Amino acid sequence: MQTERTTHLWDADAARDYDTPGTGMFAPEVLGPTVARLAGLAGEGAALEFAVGTGRVAVPLAERGVPVHGIESSPAMVEQLRAKVDAATVPVTVGDMATAVVPGEFTLVYLVYNTISNLLTQAEQVECFRNAARHLRPGGRFVVELGVPELRRLPPGRDATVWGVEPGYLGLDTYDTVHQLLVSHHFRFDGTRRARLFRTPHRYVWPAELDLMAQLAGFALEDRHADWVGAEFTADSPSHVSVYRLPPAP
């Protein structure tokens, strides 16, 4: 089950190290456009974040006046979120984002920063789309931010790509192309000869497969861009933000 995997992976130590205020995915130039776009898509309704984590997006979205509820499988991540806001500001249901149901009706459900790939089977990912549809009112939207698999960078006979090289940090992905799985390896160096390693498993998904999952859940693709500010999605885009929509009420 995804909940058991995530609880083991995102334990207290991992949750404590998750936030990087002002840098990486917490940088204003990354977070600002994300929150602005989601606020516009939510409109006058409420939003539900699958895998809400420590509230990187949910907290600033709530500060903009959008009612936000979250689903999160890791109690340790929720504990970090609670250090920022209380349960009245961002209520959270602890459970699996593919199956957990929360009360209320939403205009927007969203999954950011590759989180849908944490579901390691196609069946779980399809159920995630169905769960999003279950929570949305007619005409509601499901937004997924996801990287494009970098298989074109794999030379024959190689099964790994290096995607992050910074002082004190090295990031690489290893691929199992038979089972459509990858593992991200995060090495952090503290000035000694030793390194700390954190691994996260993922099931990578091509945009076309994602679109088929959406159709199975009753969605249609409304638009797709390369980023949150609306850049054109092309064959060279490393990621995409895809907006799926349910049919409006008759």
Side-chain angles (χ1 to χ4, degrees):
M1 293 293 294
Q2 187 259 345
T3 301
E4 296 173 356
R5 289 195 306 264
T6 306
T7 301
H8 175 73
L9 179 65
W10 295 105
D11 59 13
D13 290 339
R16 203 163 37 241
D17 293 339
Y18 185 79
D19 287 10
T20 56
T23 63
M25 60 181 168
F26 287 83
E29 62 271 20
V30 174
L31 189 53
T34 303
V35 173
R37 180 81 190 283
L38 292 172
L41 291 171
E44 298 299 317
L48 173 61
E49 180 172 355
F50 285 176
V52 68
T54 66
R56 178 183 74 95
V57 174
V59 172
L61 187 59
E63 289 172 348
R64 290 181 67 115
V66 178
V68 183
H69 196 120
I71 293 177
E72 173 57 49
S73 61
S74 168
M77 296 291 273
V78 178
E79 184 177 351
Q80 295 298 315
L81 169 59
R82 286 289 162 257
K84 303 173 184 177
V85 295
D86 59 22
T89 304
V90 179
V92 176
T93 298
V94 176
D96 189 326
M97 62 183 169
T99 58
V101 178
V102 305
E105 187 178 59
F106 302 88
T107 58
L108 176 69
V109 177
Y110 64 93
L111 261 173
V112 295
Y113 221 78
N114 302 322
T115 314
I116 195 171
S117 68
N118 291 338
L119 299 170
L120 300 183
T121 69
Q122 185 183 71
E124 287 179 309
Q125 291 173 344
V126 170
E127 284 306 309
C128 185
F129 271 89
R130 289 176 173 152
N131 200 30
R134 190 177 296 127
H135 287 90
L136 286 167
R137 66 177 59 172
R141 294 177 172 91
F142 183 35
V143 180
V144 180
E145 178 187 19
L146 187 61
V148 177
E150 295 187 312
L151 299 186
R152 290 189 300 174
R153 295 181 56 191
L154 286 177
R158 299 288 181 89
D159 60 2
T161 61
V162 176
W163 50 265
V165 180
E166 300 174 6
Y169 177 79
L170 175 65
L172 61 92
D173 290 338
T174 54
Y175 286 83
D176 176 352
T177 55
V178 173
H179 299 99
Q180 207 164 312
L181 298 172
L182 69 85
V183 177
S184 289
H185 307 259
H186 307 266
F187 296 89
R188 289 182 171 85
F189 306 90
D190 59 5
T192 69
R193 294 184 179 181
R194 296 181 178 180
R196 290 184 297 141
L197 172 60
F198 181 65
R199 295 188 180 98
T200 55
H202 304 268
R203 181 183 187 268
Y204 61 82
V205 191
W206 297 101
E209 184 184 2
L210 207 68
D211 293 349
L212 183 56
M213 292 180 185
Q215 291 181 42
L216 292 173
F219 290 99
L221 179 66
E222 184 173 62
D223 62 54
R224 171 173 289 136
H225 293 98
D227 56 29
W228 290 101
V229 297
E232 180 185 3
F233 178 75
T234 71
D236 296 319
S237 298
S239 62
H240 60 93
V241 175
S242 297
V243 180
Y244 299 98
R245 193 168 190 181
L246 290 178

